[in-house]
Amino acid sequence: MSLFQSEEMTLCQLFLQSEAAYACVSELGELGLAQFNDLNPDVNAFQRKFVNEVRRCDEMERKLRYLEKEIKKDGTPMLDTGENPDAPQPREMIDLEATFEKLENELREVNQNADALKRNFLDLTELREILRKTQVFFDEMGGAGSSPTSPKDEEQIALLSEEGLHRGHVQPTAKLGFVAGVILRERLPAFERLLWRACRGNVFLRQAEIDRPLEDPATGDSVNKTVFIIFFQGDQLKSRVKKICEGFRATLYPCPETPVERREMAVGVMSRIEDLSTVLSQTTDHRHRVLVAAAKSIKTWFIKVRKIKAIYHTLNLFNLDVTQKCLIAECWVPVADLEYIHDALRRGTARSGSSVPPILNRMETQIPPPTFNRLNKFTRGFQNLIDSYGIASYREVNPAPYAIITFPFLFAVMFGDAGHAVIMILFGGWMILSERKFEGKKGSEIWNIFFGGRYILFLMGLFSMYTGLIYNDVFSKSLNIFGSSWFTNKIRMSEDVLLETKDHIMLDPRDCYTQYPYPVGVDPVWQVAENKISFLNAYKMKISIIIGVLHMLFGVSLSIWNHIYFRRMVNIFCEFIPQVIFLLLLFFYLCILVFHKWVWFGPLGGNASGPYCAPSILIAFINMVLFKDAEKQPTGCDSPLLYSGQETIQKVLVVCALICVPWMLFIKPFILRSQAKKQAYAFVETVIVPRGDEETALAPNGSSPQAGGGGHDGHGHGEEFDFSEIMIHQGIHTIEYVLGSVSHTASYLRLWALSLAHAQLSEVLWSMVMKIGFGFTNVGAGAVVIYVIFAFWAVLTVSILVLMEGLSAFLHTLRLHWVEFMSKFYLGQGYAFSPFCFRDILAAAEGADE
C-alpha cells in the first residue's frame, strides 16, 4: 500500500540510559528505520557532548586513509570479503586506536628509513658514476699529452691555463683545480652557457651522460642525469662555479686528484652500494609485509570506524535530562515498523547490560512528517522520476505506480518501431540479467544513469515493440504476416485505366477492400501508398488527442483520493466535480466526435455519409466554442453536421462547461469564509464560560488571554482568515486549470509529432544509406559494399534513432507526466524520509572515496 501512498509516520520520544544509548543507537542504525531530529539546533558542533569521540573517529579515519594510500601505492590488493561487522563497543575504540597508531608509526618509520636509504643509494650511485667518468676524462687528457696536438687541442689547453698544462706549458707556480658532480640532463645546456658567460670562458667543462635512469627518492620518478667535471684556476673562479652549481641544483661530490685514490674510493663505494642494496631490499620486504597484513583488515576497519562515528554524530542530536543520566531523543518512524524499533531497542539494552529498559512514546505534533515509500529495485527507478519533480507531500497519492504503465506507454507512442525496440529490450535485458555483477561497482555517471533505469529501459522497449507492431513499422519497413486486406480488382478497372496507371493505381475501398481489417495494426499496403503520410498523420493525431484526454481525466480522478483522505469535502464539491465536468463536456466530447466520425462515415454508406462529405472535427469544435453555425457542405452532401441535433447539444455543453468556471472560482472562497465565521463564533462561546453570576472577561482583541492573541482561518487559530488572499489563490488556480486544459490537450500532440519524426528519420536513413547496398548487380562487389554500408547504417541507427531519438522521446514523456498529468493532483511539497542507516552511510562514504 505504501507504493500508492506514503507510509504512515509517527513522531516518537525516546528515553535511553546513558550506558545503553550507544548500543541502542547501533541497533537502530543496523535497522535503518528511524530519522532522528536535532534537539540541539542552537548548540555549536564543537560544544556538544560527544565531540571528543567524533574527533577520535576522525583521527582514526585519517590514519586509515594514510594506510590505504600506502597500500595502493605499493600495489597490494585490499581484501573485501563483503563482511558487515557490527559497530564495536566504546571500550574497543582504545584497541583500535592503539592498533592504528602502531601501524602508522611503524609505517612512517619504515618509509623514513627507506627514503634515507634511497637517498644514500642515489648519492653512492652518482658518486660511482662520477669516479668512472672522471677517470675516463683524466685518462683521455693523459693520452693527449703524448700525442701531437691539433689547433683545437691547443685552444683547449690554453683554456686550462694561460701557460698550458703539458709539453712545457705549465709553470712551476700554476695549479689547476676542478669540481665534479651530476646535474639533470635537461638543465645542462643552460648550465653550460651560464658557466661560459659568468667565468668569461676561463673554465673547461667535460660532461658524459649516465646510461641508466636514476630513481628520485622524493617522487619515485625516473630521471636522466649527466656527470660533469669543471676545471678552473683560482679561488675566485672556484667560488663562482660552486654558486652556479648551487643555482642549478647540481650535486657536487668529492673526487680525489690521484688515480690511486680514485680507485680506492671506487672500491669502497661499490662495497657500500652492495651493502645498501641488501638493507634496502630487506626494508622493502618488511614494508610490504606490514602493508599486506593491513590490507586484509582495512575494509573492516573502515566499516567499524565509520559506524562508531555515525553513532556519536547521532548521539550529539540527543538531549540530556537534568540528572545527566538519561538521553532524550525524537525520531520519525513508520507506524508499521514500531515493533521492529522496540525489538532493536531491547537488543541494544541487552548488549549494553543495562537493567533499565528504554522508553518509546508516540507524540502528537503539528509538524508535517517525512514521506516514506517502500521501494524495490523495480519500482525505485520510476519513483526517482517522480521525486525529481518534487517529493510527495505526506500521505499524498503517489504517481509512481501508475507511471510504471503510463510512462513506457507514452514513450512507445512516440518511439514506435519494433526494430529499434528490440535493441532497447536487449540492452535493458542484459543489464537486468547482469545486475548482480554490476550492482556493487561504481562506473561513469552515464553508465550509472542507464543502469539505475534498466527496468525503465526494458519496459520502454516492450511497449515500443507493441506500438511498433500496431504501426507495422520495423526499421521503417512493414511486415505482411496475415496478408493485406487490399487487392487490385482488375475486373472493375478498364484496360485503358490500367495502361495509363501502370505505376500508380488508385484502390477504391468499395471494390478493392475485403471489408475485414488487417488483424494487428496498420495494413502493410500503406507502406507503399503515396498518401501514407496523410493517412498516418490523421490517425496518429486523433489517437494523441484521445490518449491525452484520457490521461488528464485519470489525473483529475486521482485528486479525489487526496480530497477524501485529507477530508477536504469542500474541494470535492468546488474543485473536483467542476473540473471533471469541464473536461468531459469539452474535450471528452471531442474524443467522442472522433470515434463517431470513424464509425459513421465510411466508403460503403454512399456519397452523403462518405469521406468526401465528412465534416471536419477541428472546424466543428471551433464553431462549437464560438457558438457559430456549421458551414455549408459541398454539393451532393446532405448535412454539414456530424449528427442530428448537434448544434443544440454543443451549445448546451459549452454553456454547462462555462458555468463550471465561476463554480470553481467563487463557491469555495465563500464557503471557507462561512466556515471561518462559524469557528470564530464557536471559539468565542468557549471563552465566555458562566461561573454563577460572574463571567470570564474577554481580552480586548476578542480572545481569551490564554489564547495567545491569535486569530483563526477556519483551520485553526494560528492565523486570521484573509478572504482576499483566498480569492486570489482560487482565481489563479481556476485560470490555470481552464487555460491548462486547452494547452495541455494541445501538448499531447507531441505524441503525433515525435512519432512522425521518428518514422520519417528511419525511412530516410533506410532509403539514403541501406538501400544503396542493394543496387549492385555484381554479387562480389555487392557483398563487400553491403557489409560496409550495413555497419554504417547500424551505427547511425543506434546513435541517432535509438539514442538521440530515444532521449528526445524520454524527455517529452517526462514533461507530459510532470506538467500535464501530475499537475492535476500532485503537490510535491514534502521532504524525504532520511533514516539513520549504516548501509546508506557506508555507501555514501565509499562513493566519496571513489
Side-chain angles (χ1 to χ4, degrees), residues 133-147 166 206:
K133 302 298 183 183
T134 53
Q135 185 61 40
V136 174
F137 295 156
F138 285 115
D139 290 344
E140 290 177 355
M141 290 177 61
S146 59
S147 62
H166 301 287
R206 293 293 304 270

Side-chain angles (χ1 to χ4, degrees), residues 34-47:
Q35 175 181 322
F36 291 96
N37 296 335
D38 190 359
L39 301 183
N40 308 298
D42 300 326
V43 179
N44 190 287
F46 300 101
Q47 297 175 345

Side-chain angles (χ1 to χ4, degrees), residues 548-561:
V549 172
L550 293 177
H551 199 213
M552 289 190 295
L553 271 173
F554 180 59
V556 175
S557 302
L558 287 177
S559 65
I560 196 172
W561 188 335

